[in-house]
Amino acid sequence: MAETKTNKGCKVLLVEDHPMFREHLGQLINRDLGMSVCGEADNIRDAMRLIHEKQPDIAIVDITLRGSSGLELLKDIKAQGLPLNVLVLSMHDEELYAERALRAGAKGYITKNEASTEVVKAIRMVMKGEVYASRQMTAKLLDRLTQKRTPIEFAGMETLADRELEVFQLLGRGKSTHEIAQSLNLGDSTVETYRARIKDKLQLRSAAELYLRAGQWVREHGA
C-alpha cells in the first residue's frame, strides 16, 4: 500500500487516451491549490516511464487506453511493487469492472459522468488512505457480493478476462468487429479471437446469440 500523504503538493499523473477529457481533468485538478498534474500519458509504456521519472503520489487511470487496458497498467504497477495510489476512471457504470479494478490494486473507481464533480474529492479520499466509490457503485458492489445466485443468462461473466469483458460490452453496444478493433487499437483477427473465446466461455452457439446476450447485459447493467 502506498504511504498515506497529505494533499499538500500532491502530484497527479493522468493516464487517459482522450486529449480533451484529459485536459478537462487537468484543469479541475490544477485549480486545487494542493494538487497539480505532473504528467500525462495515453498508453501503458509512457505511463510507466512517467511513474518512474515523476514519482507521482496518485495516478488517475482510464480503463480503456490506447492499445491496452488500464487494468493491465494496474497489474504492472502492483507487480513492480511501486508505492503509487491509483484511482480508476471509466465510462462504464459497471460493478464488474469496479470489482476487477479494486482487486487489481486500485484505491478507487470513478465514472467519467461523475468525474467533473467528484474527482478532487476522490483524490483526497484516496490520499487519506480511504477507498473511493460512489454511493451507487458501492450499493451495486454490495448487492453483487451478497447475491446468492447469478441469473442464468449472465452466468459465466466472471470467467471472462478483462479484455474479453471489454469486447463483450462493445458488442452489446452494437459495435462491429472492425469498429471494436479500431476502438481498442487491435487487429480484426484479434477481436475475432476474443469473440470466439467469449462464445466458448458463455456457451453460446452463434454470433447472433452472442450479440443478443451482450445487448441484454448492456441494457441490464447500464454499461
Side-chain angles (χ1 to χ4, degrees), residues 115-165:
S116 293
T117 57
E118 295 290 312
V119 68
V120 171
K121 173 186 175 181
I123 291 172
R124 287 175 177 160
M125 286 184 64
V126 170
M127 293 308 298
K128 289 178 181 178
E130 301 174 17
V131 174
Y132 175 85
S134 67
R135 290 183 180 179
Q136 182 180 12
M137 184 57 63
T138 299
K140 285 186 175 184
L141 283 169
L142 289 173
D143 182 61
R144 175 176 170 78
L145 292 173
T146 56
Q147 273 184 345
K148 294 183 178 179
R149 59 183 179 178
T150 301
I152 190 168
E153 64 269 22
F154 296 140
M157 290 300 298
E158 292 82 358
T159 68
L160 298 184
D162 295 333
R163 193 56 126 180
E164 291 166 356
L165 176 60

Short mmCIF file of all heavy atoms in Angstrom, two decimals, residues 115-165:
data_model
loop_
_atom_site.label_atom_id
_atom_site.label_comp_id
_atom_site.label_asym_id
_atom_site.label_seq_id
_atom_site.Cartn_x
_atom_site.Cartn_y
_atom_site.Cartn_z
N ALA A 115 -16.90 12.44 -12.78
CA ALA A 115 -15.55 12.96 -12.58
C ALA A 115 -15.51 14.47 -12.41
O ALA A 115 -14.74 15.00 -11.61
CB ALA A 115 -14.64 12.53 -13.74
N SER A 116 -16.34 15.19 -13.17
CA SER A 116 -16.30 16.65 -13.13
C SER A 116 -16.60 17.20 -11.74
O SER A 116 -16.08 18.24 -11.35
CB SER A 116 -17.29 17.24 -14.14
OG SER A 116 -16.87 16.96 -15.46
N THR A 117 -17.45 16.51 -11.00
CA THR A 117 -17.83 17.00 -9.67
C THR A 117 -17.15 16.24 -8.53
O THR A 117 -17.11 16.73 -7.41
CB THR A 117 -19.36 16.89 -9.48
OG1 THR A 117 -19.76 15.53 -9.68
CG2 THR A 117 -20.09 17.78 -10.48
N GLU A 118 -16.60 15.06 -8.81
CA GLU A 118 -16.11 14.21 -7.74
C GLU A 118 -14.62 13.92 -7.77
O GLU A 118 -14.08 13.36 -6.80
CB GLU A 118 -16.86 12.86 -7.77
CG GLU A 118 -18.35 12.97 -7.47
CD GLU A 118 -18.61 13.31 -6.01
OE1 GLU A 118 -18.03 12.67 -5.13
OE2 GLU A 118 -19.41 14.23 -5.77
N VAL A 119 -13.91 14.26 -8.85
CA VAL A 119 -12.53 13.80 -8.97
C VAL A 119 -11.62 14.33 -7.86
O VAL A 119 -10.80 13.59 -7.31
CB VAL A 119 -11.95 14.12 -10.36
CG1 VAL A 119 -11.77 15.63 -10.57
CG2 VAL A 119 -10.63 13.39 -10.56
N VAL A 120 -11.76 15.61 -7.49
CA VAL A 120 -10.92 16.18 -6.43
C VAL A 120 -11.23 15.51 -5.09
O VAL A 120 -10.33 15.15 -4.33
CB VAL A 120 -11.10 17.71 -6.34
CG1 VAL A 120 -10.40 18.26 -5.10
CG2 VAL A 120 -10.54 18.38 -7.60
N LYS A 121 -12.52 15.32 -4.81
CA LYS A 121 -12.93 14.62 -3.60
C LYS A 121 -12.36 13.21 -3.58
O LYS A 121 -11.87 12.73 -2.53
CB LYS A 121 -14.45 14.58 -3.51
CG LYS A 121 -14.99 13.73 -2.36
CD LYS A 121 -16.51 13.64 -2.42
CE LYS A 121 -17.06 12.70 -1.35
NZ LYS A 121 -18.55 12.59 -1.45
N ALA A 122 -12.44 12.52 -4.71
CA ALA A 122 -11.93 11.15 -4.79
C ALA A 122 -10.44 11.10 -4.53
O ALA A 122 -9.95 10.21 -3.81
CB ALA A 122 -12.25 10.57 -6.16
N ILE A 123 -9.69 12.03 -5.10
CA ILE A 123 -8.24 12.08 -4.88
C ILE A 123 -7.94 12.29 -3.40
O ILE A 123 -7.06 11.62 -2.82
CB ILE A 123 -7.60 13.20 -5.72
CG1 ILE A 123 -7.67 12.85 -7.21
CG2 ILE A 123 -6.14 13.43 -5.30
CD1 ILE A 123 -7.24 13.98 -8.12
N ARG A 124 -8.65 13.22 -2.78
CA ARG A 124 -8.42 13.49 -1.35
C ARG A 124 -8.68 12.25 -0.50
O ARG A 124 -7.91 11.94 0.42
CB ARG A 124 -9.32 14.63 -0.90
CG ARG A 124 -8.87 16.00 -1.41
CD ARG A 124 -9.87 17.07 -1.03
NE ARG A 124 -9.41 18.39 -1.46
CZ ARG A 124 -10.21 19.44 -1.61
NH1 ARG A 124 -11.51 19.31 -1.38
NH2 ARG A 124 -9.72 20.60 -1.99
N MET A 125 -9.76 11.54 -0.80
CA MET A 125 -10.08 10.34 -0.03
C MET A 125 -8.99 9.29 -0.18
O MET A 125 -8.54 8.68 0.80
CB MET A 125 -11.43 9.77 -0.49
CG MET A 125 -12.63 10.57 -0.02
SD MET A 125 -14.21 9.80 -0.50
CE MET A 125 -14.13 8.26 0.44
N VAL A 126 -8.57 9.05 -1.41
CA VAL A 126 -7.54 8.04 -1.66
C VAL A 126 -6.23 8.41 -0.98
O VAL A 126 -5.56 7.56 -0.38
CB VAL A 126 -7.33 7.86 -3.19
CG1 VAL A 126 -6.10 7.00 -3.46
CG2 VAL A 126 -8.56 7.22 -3.82
N MET A 127 -5.87 9.69 -1.01
CA MET A 127 -4.62 10.12 -0.39
C MET A 127 -4.68 10.07 1.13
O MET A 127 -3.65 10.09 1.81
CB MET A 127 -4.26 11.53 -0.86
CG MET A 127 -3.89 11.63 -2.34
SD MET A 127 -2.62 10.44 -2.85
CE MET A 127 -1.24 10.97 -1.84
N LYS A 128 -5.88 9.98 1.69
CA LYS A 128 -6.03 9.80 3.13
C LYS A 128 -6.01 8.32 3.52
O LYS A 128 -6.14 7.97 4.69
CB LYS A 128 -7.35 10.41 3.61
CG LYS A 128 -7.38 11.93 3.59
CD LYS A 128 -8.76 12.44 4.03
CE LYS A 128 -8.83 13.96 3.99
NZ LYS A 128 -10.19 14.44 4.37
N GLY A 129 -5.87 7.47 2.51
CA GLY A 129 -5.83 6.04 2.79
C GLY A 129 -7.19 5.37 2.70
O GLY A 129 -7.34 4.20 3.06
N GLU A 130 -8.19 6.11 2.22
CA GLU A 130 -9.54 5.55 2.09
C GLU A 130 -9.75 5.06 0.66
O GLU A 130 -8.96 5.33 -0.24
CB GLU A 130 -10.58 6.63 2.44
CG GLU A 130 -10.44 7.19 3.84
CD GLU A 130 -11.38 8.35 4.12
OE1 GLU A 130 -12.35 8.51 3.34
OE2 GLU A 130 -11.16 9.08 5.09
N VAL A 131 -10.82 4.32 0.47
CA VAL A 131 -11.18 3.82 -0.85
C VAL A 131 -12.38 4.62 -1.35
O VAL A 131 -13.36 4.79 -0.62
CB VAL A 131 -11.53 2.32 -0.82
CG1 VAL A 131 -12.05 1.86 -2.17
CG2 VAL A 131 -10.30 1.51 -0.41
N TYR A 132 -12.29 5.11 -2.60
CA TYR A 132 -13.41 5.89 -3.14
C TYR A 132 -14.27 5.05 -4.07
O TYR A 132 -13.78 4.36 -4.97
CB TYR A 132 -12.92 7.11 -3.93
CG TYR A 132 -14.09 7.83 -4.58
CD1 TYR A 132 -14.82 8.77 -3.87
CD2 TYR A 132 -14.48 7.52 -5.88
CE1 TYR A 132 -15.92 9.40 -4.44
CE2 TYR A 132 -15.59 8.14 -6.45
CZ TYR A 132 -16.30 9.08 -5.72
OH TYR A 132 -17.39 9.68 -6.29
N ALA A 133 -15.56 5.12 -3.85
CA ALA A 133 -16.57 4.60 -4.79
C ALA A 133 -17.84 5.38 -4.52
O ALA A 133 -18.15 5.70 -3.37
CB ALA A 133 -16.79 3.10 -4.60
N SER A 134 -18.57 5.71 -5.56
CA SER A 134 -19.81 6.45 -5.38
C SER A 134 -20.81 5.61 -4.59
O SER A 134 -20.68 4.39 -4.50
CB SER A 134 -20.42 6.81 -6.75
OG SER A 134 -20.84 5.64 -7.42
N ARG A 135 -21.81 6.26 -4.02
CA ARG A 135 -22.84 5.53 -3.28
C ARG A 135 -23.52 4.49 -4.16
O ARG A 135 -23.78 3.36 -3.73
CB ARG A 135 -23.88 6.50 -2.73
CG ARG A 135 -23.37 7.41 -1.61
CD ARG A 135 -24.48 8.29 -1.08
NE ARG A 135 -24.02 9.16 -0.01
CZ ARG A 135 -24.79 10.04 0.61
NH1 ARG A 135 -26.06 10.16 0.27
NH2 ARG A 135 -24.29 10.80 1.57
N GLN A 136 -23.79 4.88 -5.40
CA GLN A 136 -24.46 3.97 -6.32
C GLN A 136 -23.59 2.75 -6.61
O GLN A 136 -24.07 1.61 -6.60
CB GLN A 136 -24.80 4.69 -7.63
CG GLN A 136 -25.54 3.83 -8.64
CD GLN A 136 -25.85 4.60 -9.92
OE1 GLN A 136 -25.32 5.68 -10.15
NE2 GLN A 136 -26.69 4.03 -10.75
N MET A 137 -22.30 3.00 -6.84
CA MET A 137 -21.40 1.89 -7.13
C MET A 137 -21.20 1.01 -5.91
O MET A 137 -21.14 -0.23 -6.02
CB MET A 137 -20.04 2.43 -7.62
CG MET A 137 -19.07 1.33 -8.05
SD MET A 137 -19.75 0.26 -9.34
CE MET A 137 -19.94 1.45 -10.67
N THR A 138 -21.10 1.61 -4.73
CA THR A 138 -20.95 0.84 -3.50
C THR A 138 -22.15 -0.08 -3.30
O THR A 138 -22.01 -1.25 -2.95
CB THR A 138 -20.82 1.76 -2.29
OG1 THR A 138 -19.65 2.58 -2.45
CG2 THR A 138 -20.67 0.96 -1.01
N ALA A 139 -23.34 0.44 -3.56
CA ALA A 139 -24.56 -0.36 -3.43
C ALA A 139 -24.56 -1.52 -4.41
O ALA A 139 -24.92 -2.66 -4.07
CB ALA A 139 -25.79 0.51 -3.64
N LYS A 140 -24.12 -1.25 -5.64
CA LYS A 140 -24.06 -2.31 -6.64
C LYS A 140 -23.06 -3.40 -6.26
O LYS A 140 -23.33 -4.59 -6.42
CB LYS A 140 -23.68 -1.72 -8.01
CG LYS A 140 -24.80 -0.96 -8.70
CD LYS A 140 -24.37 -0.55 -10.10
CE LYS A 140 -25.51 0.09 -10.87
NZ LYS A 140 -25.13 0.40 -12.27
N LEU A 141 -21.90 -2.97 -5.75
CA LEU A 141 -20.88 -3.93 -5.36
C LEU A 141 -21.36 -4.81 -4.21
O LEU A 141 -21.16 -6.03 -4.21
CB LEU A 141 -19.59 -3.21 -4.96
CG LEU A 141 -18.73 -2.67 -6.11
CD1 LEU A 141 -17.65 -1.74 -5.57
CD2 LEU A 141 -18.11 -3.82 -6.89
N LEU A 142 -21.99 -4.18 -3.23
CA LEU A 142 -22.50 -4.94 -2.10
C LEU A 142 -23.59 -5.92 -2.54
O LEU A 142 -23.64 -7.07 -2.08
CB LEU A 142 -23.05 -3.99 -1.02
CG LEU A 142 -22.00 -3.19 -0.25
CD1 LEU A 142 -22.67 -2.18 0.66
CD2 LEU A 142 -21.10 -4.12 0.56
N ASP A 143 -24.44 -5.45 -3.44
CA ASP A 143 -25.50 -6.32 -3.94
C ASP A 143 -24.91 -7.50 -4.70
O ASP A 143 -25.35 -8.64 -4.55
CB ASP A 143 -26.43 -5.52 -4.86
CG ASP A 143 -27.58 -6.36 -5.38
OD1 ASP A 143 -28.37 -6.84 -4.55
OD2 ASP A 143 -27.69 -6.54 -6.60
N ARG A 144 -23.87 -7.22 -5.48
CA ARG A 144 -23.22 -8.28 -6.25
C ARG A 144 -22.55 -9.29 -5.33
O ARG A 144 -22.65 -10.51 -5.54
CB ARG A 144 -22.18 -7.66 -7.19
CG ARG A 144 -21.35 -8.67 -7.95
CD ARG A 144 -20.42 -7.97 -8.92
NE ARG A 144 -19.47 -8.92 -9.47
CZ ARG A 144 -19.76 -9.79 -10.43
NH1 ARG A 144 -20.97 -9.82 -10.94
NH2 ARG A 144 -18.86 -10.63 -10.88
N LEU A 145 -21.88 -8.81 -4.30
CA LEU A 145 -21.16 -9.70 -3.39
C LEU A 145 -22.09 -10.52 -2.51
O LEU A 145 -21.71 -11.58 -2.01
CB LEU A 145 -20.20 -8.87 -2.51
CG LEU A 145 -19.02 -8.23 -3.25
CD1 LEU A 145 -18.25 -7.30 -2.32
CD2 LEU A 145 -18.09 -9.30 -3.81
N THR A 146 -23.30 -10.01 -2.28
CA THR A 146 -24.23 -10.72 -1.40
C THR A 146 -25.27 -11.53 -2.15
O THR A 146 -26.10 -12.18 -1.54
CB THR A 146 -24.96 -9.73 -0.47
OG1 THR A 146 -25.62 -8.73 -1.26
CG2 THR A 146 -23.97 -9.04 0.47
N GLN A 147 -25.22 -11.48 -3.49
CA GLN A 147 -26.17 -12.27 -4.27
C GLN A 147 -25.92 -13.76 -4.02
O GLN A 147 -24.78 -14.21 -4.05
CB GLN A 147 -26.01 -11.99 -5.77
CG GLN A 147 -26.82 -10.81 -6.25
CD GLN A 147 -26.70 -10.63 -7.75
OE1 GLN A 147 -25.82 -11.20 -8.38
NE2 GLN A 147 -27.59 -9.87 -8.33
N LYS A 148 -26.98 -14.50 -3.80
CA LYS A 148 -26.84 -15.94 -3.56
C LYS A 148 -26.70 -16.72 -4.86
O LYS A 148 -26.16 -17.80 -4.88
CB LYS A 148 -28.05 -16.45 -2.76
CG LYS A 148 -28.12 -15.87 -1.36
CD LYS A 148 -29.28 -16.46 -0.58
CE LYS A 148 -29.31 -15.91 0.84
NZ LYS A 148 -30.45 -16.46 1.62
N ARG A 149 -27.18 -16.15 -5.95
CA ARG A 149 -27.04 -16.84 -7.23
C ARG A 149 -27.07 -15.82 -8.36
O ARG A 149 -27.63 -14.73 -8.23
CB ARG A 149 -28.14 -17.87 -7.43
CG ARG A 149 -29.55 -17.30 -7.40
CD ARG A 149 -30.57 -18.42 -7.54
NE ARG A 149 -31.93 -17.89 -7.49
CZ ARG A 149 -33.01 -18.65 -7.63
NH1 ARG A 149 -32.89 -19.95 -7.78
NH2 ARG A 149 -34.22 -18.12 -7.59
N THR A 150 -26.46 -16.19 -9.46
CA THR A 150 -26.41 -15.32 -10.62
C THR A 150 -27.48 -15.75 -11.61
O THR A 150 -27.63 -16.94 -11.86
CB THR A 150 -25.03 -15.44 -11.30
OG1 THR A 150 -24.03 -15.07 -10.36
CG2 THR A 150 -24.94 -14.51 -12.51
N PRO A 151 -28.25 -14.80 -12.16
CA PRO A 151 -29.23 -15.18 -13.17
C PRO A 151 -28.57 -15.99 -14.28
O PRO A 151 -27.46 -15.68 -14.70
CB PRO A 151 -29.73 -13.82 -13.70
CG PRO A 151 -29.49 -12.87 -12.57
CD PRO A 151 -28.22 -13.36 -11.92
N ILE A 152 -29.25 -17.04 -14.74
CA ILE A 152 -28.62 -17.96 -15.68
C ILE A 152 -28.15 -17.26 -16.95
O ILE A 152 -27.16 -17.64 -17.56
CB ILE A 152 -29.58 -19.12 -16.02
CG1 ILE A 152 -28.83 -20.20 -16.81
CG2 ILE A 152 -30.80 -18.62 -16.78
CD1 ILE A 152 -29.60 -21.49 -16.93
N GLU A 153 -28.88 -16.18 -17.37
CA GLU A 153 -28.49 -15.51 -18.60
C GLU A 153 -27.17 -14.77 -18.46
O GLU A 153 -26.55 -14.40 -19.45
CB GLU A 153 -29.60 -14.54 -19.06
CG GLU A 153 -29.89 -13.37 -18.12
CD GLU A 153 -30.99 -13.72 -17.12
OE1 GLU A 153 -31.21 -14.91 -16.88
OE2 GLU A 153 -31.61 -12.77 -16.61
N PHE A 154 -26.72 -14.52 -17.22
CA PHE A 154 -25.45 -13.83 -17.02
C PHE A 154 -24.41 -14.74 -16.38
O PHE A 154 -23.35 -14.28 -15.96
CB PHE A 154 -25.65 -12.58 -16.16
CG PHE A 154 -26.54 -11.55 -16.81
CD1 PHE A 154 -27.47 -10.86 -16.07
CD2 PHE A 154 -26.44 -11.30 -18.17
CE1 PHE A 154 -28.29 -9.91 -16.67
CE2 PHE A 154 -27.27 -10.37 -18.78
CZ PHE A 154 -28.19 -9.67 -18.03
N ALA A 155 -24.71 -16.01 -16.27
CA ALA A 155 -23.76 -16.95 -15.70
C ALA A 155 -22.51 -17.02 -16.56
O ALA A 155 -22.57 -16.97 -17.79
CB ALA A 155 -24.39 -18.34 -15.61
N GLY A 156 -21.36 -17.10 -15.92
CA GLY A 156 -20.10 -17.21 -16.64
C GLY A 156 -19.39 -15.90 -16.87
O GLY A 156 -18.24 -15.88 -17.34
N MET A 157 -20.01 -14.76 -16.56
CA MET A 157 -19.37 -13.47 -16.81
C MET A 157 -18.06 -13.33 -16.05
O MET A 157 -17.11 -12.72 -16.53
CB MET A 157 -20.32 -12.33 -16.42
CG MET A 157 -21.52 -12.18 -17.33
SD MET A 157 -21.08 -11.83 -19.05
CE MET A 157 -20.23 -10.27 -18.86
N GLU A 158 -17.99 -13.92 -14.85
CA GLU A 158 -16.78 -13.81 -14.05
C GLU A 158 -15.59 -14.53 -14.69
O GLU A 158 -14.44 -14.28 -14.35
CB GLU A 158 -17.01 -14.37 -12.64
CG GLU A 158 -17.97 -13.56 -11.79
CD GLU A 158 -19.43 -13.87 -12.08
OE1 GLU A 158 -19.70 -14.72 -12.97
OE2 GLU A 158 -20.30 -13.30 -11.41
N THR A 159 -15.89 -15.43 -15.64
CA THR A 159 -14.80 -16.18 -16.28
C THR A 159 -14.14 -15.39 -17.40
O THR A 159 -13.07 -15.77 -17.88
CB THR A 159 -15.33 -17.51 -16.86
OG1 THR A 159 -16.20 -17.24 -17.96
CG2 THR A 159 -16.05 -18.32 -15.80
N LEU A 160 -14.76 -14.31 -17.83
CA LEU A 160 -14.19 -13.52 -18.92
C LEU A 160 -12.97 -12.75 -18.44
O LEU A 160 -12.98 -12.13 -17.38
CB LEU A 160 -15.23 -12.53 -19.47
CG LEU A 160 -16.50 -13.11 -20.09
CD1 LEU A 160 -17.35 -12.00 -20.67
CD2 LEU A 160 -16.19 -14.16 -21.14
N ALA A 161 -11.92 -12.79 -19.24
CA ALA A 161 -10.74 -11.97 -18.96
C ALA A 161 -11.11 -10.50 -19.15
O ALA A 161 -12.13 -10.17 -19.75
CB ALA A 161 -9.59 -12.36 -19.89
N ASP A 162 -10.27 -9.61 -18.63
CA ASP A 162 -10.57 -8.18 -18.67
C ASP A 162 -10.83 -7.68 -20.09
O ASP A 162 -11.79 -6.95 -20.35
CB ASP A 162 -9.44 -7.38 -18.04
CG ASP A 162 -9.28 -7.68 -16.56
OD1 ASP A 162 -10.27 -8.06 -15.92
OD2 ASP A 162 -8.15 -7.57 -16.05
N ARG A 163 -9.98 -8.08 -21.03
CA ARG A 163 -10.14 -7.62 -22.41
C ARG A 163 -11.38 -8.24 -23.05
O ARG A 163 -12.08 -7.60 -23.84
CB ARG A 163 -8.89 -7.97 -23.22
CG ARG A 163 -8.80 -7.27 -24.56
CD ARG A 163 -8.87 -5.76 -24.41
NE ARG A 163 -7.76 -5.09 -25.03
CZ ARG A 163 -7.59 -3.78 -25.04
NH1 ARG A 163 -8.48 -3.01 -24.44
NH2 ARG A 163 -6.55 -3.23 -25.61
N GLU A 164 -11.66 -9.50 -22.70
CA GLU A 164 -12.86 -10.15 -23.22
C GLU A 164 -14.12 -9.43 -22.75
O GLU A 164 -15.07 -9.26 -23.52
CB GLU A 164 -12.88 -11.61 -22.78
CG GLU A 164 -11.80 -12.46 -23.44
CD GLU A 164 -11.60 -13.80 -22.77
OE1 GLU A 164 -12.25 -14.06 -21.74
OE2 GLU A 164 -10.78 -14.59 -23.28
N LEU A 165 -14.13 -9.00 -21.51
CA LEU A 165 -15.27 -8.26 -20.99
C LEU A 165 -15.45 -6.95 -21.73
O LEU A 165 -16.57 -6.54 -22.06
CB LEU A 165 -15.09 -7.99 -19.49
CG LEU A 165 -16.18 -7.15 -18.81
CD1 LEU A 165 -17.54 -7.82 -18.93
CD2 LEU A 165 -15.82 -6.91 -17.36
#
